[in-house]
Amino acid sequence: MLTDPIFWLVAIPAVLITGISKSGFAGGAGGLTVPLLALAISPAAAAAVMLPLLVYMDFLSVRSWWNKQSNQQLHILLPAAIVGIVLAYLLFDQLNEQYLRGILGVISLGFGIYGLTFGEWSQRKPSTLIGRICGTIAGFTSFVAHAGDSPLNAYLIPQRLPKTQYLGTAVMFFAVVNAVKLIPYAMLGQINLSNLMVSAILAPIAWVGVKLGLRIQDKFNEKHFKQVILSLMIVVGLRLLWSALLPS
């Protein structure tokens, strides 16, 4: 990775987009990162490089959203998310690189289509059971691809929380989930010196992304930005599925 120019050409904008998303602006945009990186490196390496950066970005974001979350919703979502993380950890060794690319492709394509088609719908408030199911799926997809936003939003958006409380809840949810993921990632050998060096080099880009997202929240059209990212997720998802089904 360190000497591959293609990786850096992909990684720098991907991490910048994730930082912007982590600020609370255009939530869900960060789901593009691992599928995008998986075009240049293995999906497992992409997820491993991103996790320390996500924890760092969570630290930067949590300070801005502290005490703005809905603890009631977190009590429903977080235990279920941990179940999803455990399930993903137990299944991880069964998935080779081709399968992982296929899973990433499905996640990226599905979330892109969902976000463009249904993301703004305001449905009847889901039950607690639906919340736990969505939390479990979010934990699983977050472990595999750091892409738990769509399952989380499928439950959280219809709750019609005030915007500040919704963003605070989402930020706190992923801060806890990403911190928990460090344990199974380390157990799988994903947290190693090589990956940490790449993460450290990209850390300033992550910092810029978070700060930029906080600054532009009231100056840019969030809906249009999200539509561009979701469209890219569809394109990247199709490319990953192609490479999974027809490996060279």
Side-chain angles (χ1 to χ4, degrees), residues 32 35-36 39 105 108 231-241:
L32 175 67
L36 193 58
L39 297 175
S108 185
S231 299
L232 283 172
M233 289 186 75
I234 292 173
V235 173
V236 171
L238 289 171
R239 179 64 183 86
L240 286 170
L241 282 174

Side-chain angles (χ1 to χ4, degrees), residues 2-241:
L2 287 170
T3 58
D4 183 357
I6 301 299
F7 167 75
W8 294 107
L9 284 173
V10 173
I12 290 172
V15 171
L16 188 66
I17 290 170
T18 304
I20 292 172
S21 176
K22 278 292 182 182
S23 72
F25 178 79
L32 175 67
T33 309
V34 171
L36 193 58
L37 288 177
L39 297 175
I41 58 176
S42 75
V49 165
M50 281 307 302
L51 183 55
L53 288 169
L54 290 172
V55 172
Y56 171 60
M57 287 185 275
D58 288 331
F59 172 75
L60 296 175
S61 300
V62 161
R63 294 184 296 174
S64 298
W65 298 100
W66 189 256
N67 282 333
K68 296 182 175 71
Q69 73 276 9
S70 168
N71 290 324
Q72 178 186 1
Q73 299 301 333
L74 289 177
H75 288 158
I76 294 170
L77 292 162
L78 282 174
I82 292 172
V83 172
I85 291 170
V86 171
L87 288 173
Y89 165 73
L90 294 174
L91 292 172
F92 190 82
D93 283 340
Q94 309 304 315
L95 303 174
N96 61 28
E97 183 172 326
Q98 186 177 343
Y99 286 145
L100 282 174
R101 289 188 186 278
I103 291 172
L104 281 178
V106 170
I107 290 173
S108 185
L109 180 62
F111 287 3
I113 293 172
Y114 171 85
L116 288 175
T117 309
F118 305 112
E120 301 301 322
W121 282 18
S122 180
Q123 307 102 327
R124 180 168 56 91
K125 285 188 178 183
S127 65
T128 299
L129 176 61
I130 296 298
R132 291 185 176 127
I133 292 172
C134 288
T136 302
I137 297 171
F140 186 94
T141 56
S142 182
F143 185 94
V144 174
H146 306 315
D149 299 85
S150 291
L152 177 69
N153 287 337
Y155 169 75
L156 208 54
I157 287 177
Q159 299 299 326
R160 295 187 282 278
L161 299 172
K163 181 180 179 181
T164 299
Q165 192 175 49
Y166 158 73
L167 291 173
T169 303
V171 168
M172 296 300 172
F173 174 83
F174 285 112
V176 174
V177 165
N178 289 327
V180 170
K181 279 154 48 180
L182 286 170
I183 300 171
Y185 267 57
M187 293 170 66
L188 290 167
Q190 296 288 83
I191 306 296
N192 55 51
L193 183 59
S194 176
N195 290 337
L196 287 173
M197 285 178 62
V198 176
S199 300
I201 294 170
L202 289 168
I205 305 298
W207 181 87
V208 169
V210 173
K211 297 302 180 183
L212 182 60
L214 291 170
R215 280 184 173 271
I216 67 176
Q217 287 200 39
D218 299 324
K219 299 177 182 178
F220 280 78
N221 188 307
E222 181 175 0
K223 183 177 180 181
H224 292 164
F225 182 81
K226 286 177 68 173
Q227 286 174 339
V228 171
I229 298 300
L230 291 167
S231 299
L232 283 172
M233 289 186 75
I234 292 173
V235 173
V236 171
L238 289 171
R239 179 64 183 86
L240 286 170
L241 282 174

